[in-house]
Amino acid sequence: WFKENGFEIVKRARLLGMITRTSKGLCFAGTHGKTTTSSMAAHIFAQSPIGCNAFLGGILKNYGSNLILSDHSDLTVIEADEYDRSFHQLSPYMAVITAADPDHLDIYGNEDAYLESFRYFTTLIRPGGVLIIKKGIKIRPDVQNGVTVYHYSMNDGGDFYAQNIRIGNGEIFIDFVGPEVRINDIQLGIPISINIENGVAAMALAHLNGVTNEEIKQGMASFHGVDRRFDFKIKNDRVVFLSDYAHHPSEIKQ
């Protein structure tokens, strides 16, 4: 029907690339963590006056969709998929890299080629943009034209990190720390430990794009998670049953 009626049909990756060239693309890449982290960031922006558009890799429970649209924001949150090197179509304004454990070896063949693909992705960040990368992963960024690089971590050691982590009674509270920012007593809406790290990356990006401390705090507390990402169906004293998309050995260990 689309062909018969004169529509241009393109791959999703190419379309997202076009969008990043006409808006400020906030692109989240990584072997794992990118769906939850990008969704957290999108929710933080969407519930603030700044707003955002978002094309995500999972269904956000807050919205019942993987799509968020804004009538005023020039920010677009995008999950940058490394499969088939599709993220090489993007032109990020800011980028986040969450992990680099080898995956999709049917496409890449070996770890070196996989890591090289991420290195090339970092060269695509716009002049004057930002890269936020997890501290300690193997990727060596090759940023150019005044791109600023920040590292993040779960605990002290990155430019952005969590401090004073409190876990108990089914709740997690943290303090978020970064250059010229500190937000105390942030509650995680989805209280699992991996979301401390995911949350640090999401909050760092939101902070760098002008979301206020209070808006970040409210966004983290009100985030309801993503379908099939630590998605608890039953959770009581006797039984825990959850649905999760994890399929990489490193993800399953979590």
PDB file of all heavy atoms in Angstrom, residues 64 99 101 176 198 225 242 250:
ATOM      1  N   GLY A  64       2.935   3.343  28.190  1.00  0.00           N
ATOM      2  CA  GLY A  64       2.341   2.272  27.403  1.00  0.00           C
ATOM      3  C   GLY A  64       2.821   2.271  25.968  1.00  0.00           C
ATOM      4  O   GLY A  64       2.127   1.810  25.063  1.00  0.00           O
ATOM      5  N   ALA A  99      27.995  -0.157  27.986  1.00  0.00           N
ATOM      6  CA  ALA A  99      28.715  -1.429  28.115  1.00  0.00           C
ATOM      7  C   ALA A  99      29.299  -1.803  26.766  1.00  0.00           C
ATOM      8  O   ALA A  99      28.843  -1.323  25.725  1.00  0.00           O
ATOM      9  CB  ALA A  99      27.781  -2.536  28.614  1.00  0.00           C
ATOM     10  N   ASP A 101      30.470  -5.434  26.113  1.00  0.00           N
ATOM     11  CA  ASP A 101      30.737  -6.869  26.107  1.00  0.00           C
ATOM     12  C   ASP A 101      30.384  -7.415  24.724  1.00  0.00           C
ATOM     13  O   ASP A 101      29.285  -7.146  24.215  1.00  0.00           O
ATOM     14  CB  ASP A 101      29.898  -7.577  27.177  1.00  0.00           C
ATOM     15  CG  ASP A 101      30.233  -7.087  28.579  1.00  0.00           C
ATOM     16  OD1 ASP A 101      31.433  -6.956  28.871  1.00  0.00           O
ATOM     17  OD2 ASP A 101      29.292  -6.836  29.355  1.00  0.00           O
ATOM     18  N   PHE A 176      23.301  11.632  44.109  1.00  0.00           N
ATOM     19  CA  PHE A 176      23.899  11.757  42.785  1.00  0.00           C
ATOM     20  C   PHE A 176      24.933  12.871  42.816  1.00  0.00           C
ATOM     21  O   PHE A 176      24.646  13.988  43.250  1.00  0.00           O
ATOM     22  CB  PHE A 176      22.812  12.065  41.755  1.00  0.00           C
ATOM     23  CG  PHE A 176      23.329  12.434  40.392  1.00  0.00           C
ATOM     24  CD1 PHE A 176      23.993  11.509  39.606  1.00  0.00           C
ATOM     25  CD2 PHE A 176      23.129  13.722  39.887  1.00  0.00           C
ATOM     26  CE1 PHE A 176      24.466  11.857  38.335  1.00  0.00           C
ATOM     27  CE2 PHE A 176      23.594  14.075  38.627  1.00  0.00           C
ATOM     28  CZ  PHE A 176      24.253  13.143  37.851  1.00  0.00           C
ATOM     29  N   ASN A 198      22.552   2.644  35.929  1.00  0.00           N
ATOM     30  CA  ASN A 198      21.758   3.182  34.821  1.00  0.00           C
ATOM     31  C   ASN A 198      21.268   4.589  35.136  1.00  0.00           C
ATOM     32  O   ASN A 198      21.277   5.479  34.282  1.00  0.00           O
ATOM     33  CB  ASN A 198      20.562   2.272  34.534  1.00  0.00           C
ATOM     34  CG  ASN A 198      20.966   0.910  33.990  1.00  0.00           C
ATOM     35  OD1 ASN A 198      22.034   0.754  33.412  1.00  0.00           O
ATOM     36  ND2 ASN A 198      20.104  -0.076  34.176  1.00  0.00           N
ATOM     37  N   GLY A 225       9.556   1.847  34.975  1.00  0.00           N
ATOM     38  CA  GLY A 225      10.279   0.764  34.328  1.00  0.00           C
ATOM     39  C   GLY A 225       9.818   0.479  32.918  1.00  0.00           C
ATOM     40  O   GLY A 225       8.954   1.152  32.356  1.00  0.00           O
ATOM     41  N   LEU A 242       9.636 -12.990  37.530  1.00  0.00           N
ATOM     42  CA  LEU A 242       9.846 -11.794  36.724  1.00  0.00           C
ATOM     43  C   LEU A 242      10.100 -12.162  35.269  1.00  0.00           C
ATOM     44  O   LEU A 242      10.550 -13.251  34.937  1.00  0.00           O
ATOM     45  CB  LEU A 242      10.994 -10.932  37.266  1.00  0.00           C
ATOM     46  CG  LEU A 242      12.420 -11.472  37.317  1.00  0.00           C
ATOM     47  CD1 LEU A 242      13.150 -11.281  35.996  1.00  0.00           C
ATOM     48  CD2 LEU A 242      13.198 -10.804  38.434  1.00  0.00           C
ATOM     49  N   SER A 250      26.561 -11.716  30.385  1.00  0.00           N
ATOM     50  CA  SER A 250      26.800 -10.650  31.371  1.00  0.00           C
ATOM     51  C   SER A 250      25.497 -10.106  31.943  1.00  0.00           C
ATOM     52  O   SER A 250      25.426  -9.719  33.113  1.00  0.00           O
ATOM     53  CB  SER A 250      27.590  -9.489  30.726  1.00  0.00           C
ATOM     54  OG  SER A 250      28.857  -9.928  30.312  1.00  0.00           O
TER      55      SER A 250
END
